[in-house]
Amino acid sequence: MIVFKNLRWKNLLSTGNYFTEVKLNENANTLIVGTNGSGKSTMLDALCFSLFGKPFRNINKPNLLNSINGKDCVVEVEFIIGNKEYKIVRGIKPNIFQIYQDTVLLNQDAAARDYQDFLEKFILKLNYKSFTQIVILGSASFTPFMQLSAADRRAIIEDLLDIQIFSVMNSLVKNRLSLNKDAMVQKKNEIELLKQRYDLKKEHLDKLNQNNEEKVKEYDGEIQSNRETISTLSDEVDILVSRLSELDTVVAKAPEIEKKIASYKKVESQIESKISKVGIDRHFYEHNADCPTCRQAITLEFKETLCTELSSKEHELNQALTELQIKITAQESLMNIVRNDEKERSNVRIELATTQTLIKGYNENIARLEKEIKNLQTDNDSVDQTELTTLQTEVKEAQTELKQLIDDKAYYDAASLLLKDTGIKTNIVKQYLPIINKLVNKYLTSLDFFVNFNLDESFKESIKSRHRDDFSYHNFSEGEKQRIDMALMLTWRAVAKLRNSINTNLLILDEVFDSSLDNNGTEELMKILHSLEEVNLFVISHKGDILQDKFVNTIRFDKVKNFSRIVK
């Protein structure tokens, strides 16, 4: 049983930078009153936030922080389970999440979610949905059991009956089945590969035993053919080497030829320069009568003599230029031949390297074939037979392992069938459904709501009245729905107490008396609540003047300078 002792908070919503503290197990029943917005329901948000990291109402976590102070939001809750005392501390700005057991801080996981899972699964043994169905009945941000999905209803009842372990086991079995399936596929593939290796090895051994001599003859013939090819290629190599030597000799003349051509071209340029100068001089004397230097007249006889000499010199130079150009052309033709030989030399080198590579490949093939012949001529029967025996043993071992996996699958399938929602859990739920339905109808009758309420194995409800049959929850008025919600909550607490699963001392009703309950319903509900044993009841209400005399303790919240606090 969880016995909640103390709840305190500061900088949460409208609460200021001082702790507001509520003793949770000090009085049998407590009325919490105050005006709208005074902070009455903050207690619910503080409790849920401390235990589950989220508030009871639909408020985003950042909005829980007091907007004026803007930091140091802290919520602490203390409770006892068995002989161990626990304290949970949560905070915002800075973020805090600590679990103390007997004043010792428990090791915190790297992920806060893992730490929360540990709190819910191993300490509280209930989650947010179950807690809000059994401990808190609110008018805001509360989803009644009857409005939950079938899956959520099942989860809550599994928590109540402490059979969620079967869901965990079912998940583990599913995981084992998946691993088993993968292992079986892998083992079948392994067996198939081993069989293939065995067949190949046996076929190879049979062929060795039957065809060794033929193989040796075949390899000898191939070796002989390779040697003949090598001989032919070697002759080609000799020819290529000889031709390469000839081409090297020719190509070696290239620098000398290039030097001659350059020398001839230099002389050619000089002759052309002289021809040009002689031509200019001759043209001058042919078309001018005065000397440009001394300004004296040039005689006709001198002009004719000088022009004759210049023409003769120009003719000689042109004749020399023609002879030189013939030499240049001859050398360039020779150079073209050399360049062609140079290209041929490059091709010969490539052909020579290719032929030598072929010879090397044939020699390597001969070495490989000779090694094969040696292996064929060596007695490998015992070695191969040992390998065959080893493969046979491996196949048998793998088949044994596969059989074990098949047997395991059968066990897992049987376990999965039992652990499904329609298996063991359904049988357990079947045993408790009559008790649950009986308790619900008992509480409904106590609340002056005379219907026959029934939950089936799928957690679907059927509600029958005296005059009209087959109702659903949604057919009823808000007041009638609230009676059903209250009856279910009281039922869950009774079942929890029977199972001692998630039994707790705390029961909080938020504005339940302020909504749709009439005076008679209020009286009947109070009778039921006062009859509950080992319960610390907290009722949040606006009807303080009507309800105050029904409670042994009253807590009043008020707002002072925009901060909520308890007024003594």
Side-chain angles (χ1 to χ4, degrees):
M1 179 177 179
I2 304 173
V3 179
F4 288 95
K5 293 173 54 182
N6 195 33
L7 177 66
R8 56 203 305 259
W9 65 92
K10 69 175 181 176
N11 288 316
L12 180 73
L13 296 172
S14 61
T15 309
N17 192 27
Y18 58 90
F19 276 108
T20 297
E21 186 168 351
V22 176
K23 301 293 183 181
L24 299 177
N25 65 338
E26 197 170 66
N27 296 286
N29 51 71
T30 300
L31 176 65
I32 299 176
V33 295
T35 58
N36 285 333
S38 61
K40 302 186 300 298
S41 297
T42 302
M43 172 183 173
L44 304 180
D45 297 315
L47 182 61
C48 290
F49 178 65
S50 65
L51 293 174
F52 303 103
K54 57 184 176 180
F56 179 70
R57 293 176 290 180
N58 291 329
I59 303 173
N60 292 330
K61 183 178 175 181
N63 293 334
L64 289 174
L65 185 65
N66 181 282
S67 59
I68 297 175
N69 294 328
K71 62 179 181 178
D72 292 331
C73 172
V74 179
V75 182
E76 300 177 359
V77 63
E78 298 175 13
F79 54 90
I80 300 172
I81 300 178
N83 58 355
K84 294 179 181 178
E85 294 191 7
Y86 292 92
K87 179 180 178 180
I88 313 296
V89 181
R90 285 191 199 261
I92 305 173
K93 284 192 177 181
N95 287 327
I96 302 170
F97 180 22
Q98 298 170 337
I99 303 174
Y100 292 88
Q101 178 181 308
D102 296 329
T103 70
V104 177
L105 178 64
L106 299 181
N107 289 334
Q108 293 176 301
D109 293 333
R113 188 172 61 182
D114 296 336
Y115 207 40
Q116 182 64 36
D117 286 344
F118 175 78
L119 172 61
E120 293 181 14
K121 291 178 180 178
F122 299 100
I123 298 177
L124 298 174
K125 296 184 179 178
L126 79 166
N127 56 30
Y128 177 82
K129 282 190 175 68
S130 298
F131 182 80
T132 54
Q133 290 294 320
I134 295 168
V135 176
I136 303 174
L137 180 62
S139 58
S141 304
F142 167 72
T143 305
F145 180 85
M146 299 309 301
Q147 295 181 27
L148 295 173
S149 66
D152 286 339
R153 293 182 185 185
R154 172 177 290 278
I156 288 170
I157 291 180
E158 285 183 5
D159 277 346
L160 279 170
L161 301 180
D162 204 17
I163 58 174
Q164 68 273 27
I165 184 62
F166 295 117
S167 296
V168 176
M169 291 169 65
N170 190 33
S171 176
L172 292 173
V173 168
K174 285 181 180 178
N175 185 51
R176 293 285 181 88
L177 273 171
S178 177
L179 294 174
N180 176 270
K181 180 181 177 182
D182 293 341
M184 284 177 63
V185 171
Q186 185 176 351
K187 191 58 64 176
K188 287 177 180 177
N189 290 337
E190 181 184 339
I191 291 171
E192 187 62 29
L193 287 173
L194 286 170
K195 286 182 176 179
Q196 289 179 6
R197 285 176 58 195
Y198 176 85
D199 291 341
L200 288 172
K201 178 59 69 175
K202 191 171 187 309
E203 182 182 354
H204 174 67
L205 183 60
D206 291 342
K207 284 182 179 179
L208 281 178
N209 292 333
Q210 295 172 8
N211 302 318
N212 275 0
E213 290 184 4
E214 293 179 7
K215 283 284 184 184
V216 169
K217 289 179 181 179
E218 180 185 339
Y219 291 160
D220 280 336
E222 193 173 344
I223 288 171
Q224 184 61 34
S225 175
N226 286 345
R227 283 174 176 163
E228 291 173 358
T229 303
I230 289 171
S231 177
T232 303
L233 292 174
S234 296
D235 292 340
E236 292 180 8
V237 166
D238 293 339
I239 294 170
L240 290 170
V241 168
S242 177
R243 177 60 180 157
L244 187 61
S245 176
E246 294 173 2
L247 292 171
D248 285 341
T249 302
V250 174
V251 171
K253 296 177 181 179
E256 181 182 350
I257 295 171
E258 288 177 344
K259 185 176 180 181
K260 281 185 179 181
I261 292 172
S263 175
Y264 287 160
K265 284 187 176 292
K266 182 178 180 181
V267 174
E268 180 186 33
S269 177
Q270 292 172 350
I271 291 173
E272 286 175 344
S273 177
K274 289 179 180 180
I275 292 171
S276 175
K277 185 175 183 308
V278 169
I280 291 170
D281 291 345
R282 182 175 57 76
H283 181 271
F284 173 79
Y285 287 112
E286 286 177 350
H287 296 87
N288 291 280
D290 297 325
C291 176
T293 304
C294 62
R295 305 293 183 180
Q296 294 182 3
I298 302 173
T299 63
L300 181 62
E301 182 181 355
F302 180 77
K303 282 175 61 176
E304 288 178 352
T305 302
L306 195 57
C307 285
T308 299
E309 290 177 358
L310 290 171
S311 294
S312 176
K313 188 174 182 179
E314 186 177 14
H315 175 74
E316 289 176 0
L317 288 170
N318 281 325
Q319 190 174 7
L321 180 63
T322 301
E323 291 175 358
L324 184 61
Q325 287 175 341
I326 290 170
K327 289 181 179 181
I328 290 172
T329 301
Q331 290 298 318
E332 286 178 341
S333 297
L334 186 59
M335 191 64 195
N336 287 334
I337 293 171
V338 171
R339 284 173 180 158
N340 289 334
D341 287 348
E342 193 171 17
K343 290 179 181 177
E344 183 184 353
R345 183 180 68 169
S346 178
N347 292 332
V348 168
R349 283 177 175 172
I350 293 171
E351 187 177 354
L352 178 61
T354 302
T355 305
Q356 289 173 335
T357 301
L358 287 173
I359 291 172
K360 181 180 179 183
Y362 282 117
N363 281 323
E364 289 175 351
N365 194 44
I366 288 172
R368 181 184 63 80
L369 291 170
E370 287 175 343
K371 185 177 180 181
E372 289 288 338
I373 291 172
K374 185 177 179 180
N375 289 337
L376 288 171
Q377 291 172 340
T378 302
D379 184 12
N380 286 324
D381 287 355
S382 60
V383 176
D384 289 325
Q385 192 61 49
T386 302
E387 290 183 10
L388 281 176
T389 303
T390 301
L391 287 171
Q392 279 181 321
T393 303
E394 290 178 1
V395 169
K396 288 180 181 178
E397 289 175 352
Q399 287 173 334
T400 302
E401 291 172 3
L402 177 61
K403 184 179 181 301
Q404 183 61 52
L405 288 170
I406 293 171
D407 291 342
D408 290 345
K409 183 180 183 300
Y411 294 133
Y412 292 145
D413 284 337
S416 178
L417 188 63
L418 290 172
L419 294 171
K420 283 182 178 178
D421 289 343
T422 55
I424 294 174
K425 290 189 290 185
T426 296
N427 289 330
I428 295 173
V429 171
K430 276 182 182 179
Q431 294 178 10
Y432 277 91
L433 275 178
I435 299 172
I436 291 170
N437 289 326
K438 183 178 179 180
L439 286 169
V440 173
N441 286 299
K442 170 190 169 185
Y443 289 122
L444 287 173
T445 300
S446 299
L447 292 169
D448 281 343
F449 190 29
F450 299 98
V451 293
N452 183 17
F453 180 94
N454 187 69
L455 278 178
D456 63 16
E457 295 165 12
S458 301
F459 308 103
K460 293 180 180 179
E461 82 279 8
S462 64
I463 306 173
K464 297 182 180 182
S465 69
R466 293 176 179 176
H467 306 292
R468 292 176 293 175
D469 293 336
D470 297 328
F471 276 98
S472 73
Y473 174 82
H474 298 286
N475 293 126
F476 293 98
S477 67
E478 292 305 314
E480 290 170 327
K481 287 180 182 177
Q482 194 167 47
R483 283 175 166 84
I484 295 173
D485 296 340
M486 178 57 67
L488 283 166
M489 185 180 196
L490 294 170
T491 298
W492 302 148
R493 293 183 66 87
V495 172
K497 191 172 183 179
L498 286 173
R499 290 287 302 171
N500 198 28
S501 53
I502 50 177
N503 190 17
T504 175
N505 67 312
L506 194 59
L507 175 59
I508 305 174
L509 306 182
D510 183 22
E511 299 183 5
V512 170
F513 291 95
D514 301 359
S515 51
S516 304
L517 282 180
D518 53 25
N519 289 333
N520 189 43
T522 299
E523 291 294 333
E524 294 301 326
L525 178 57
M526 286 304 302
K527 290 180 183 178
I528 295 173
L529 294 175
H530 285 313
S531 69
L532 297 176
E533 297 178 356
E534 297 181 345
V535 171
N536 295 104
L537 172 67
F538 288 83
V539 173
I540 300 172
S541 177
H542 293 291
K543 297 182 178 180
D545 52 342
I546 299 173
L547 297 174
Q548 190 164 2
D549 61 340
K550 302 181 185 299
F551 292 84
V552 298
N553 183 44
T554 301
I555 296 175
R556 182 177 298 278
F557 280 85
D558 197 2
K559 255 190 177 178
V560 178
K561 295 181 181 180
N562 291 324
F563 288 108
S564 176
R565 69 178 187 180
I566 295 176
V567 180
K568 300 295 183 180

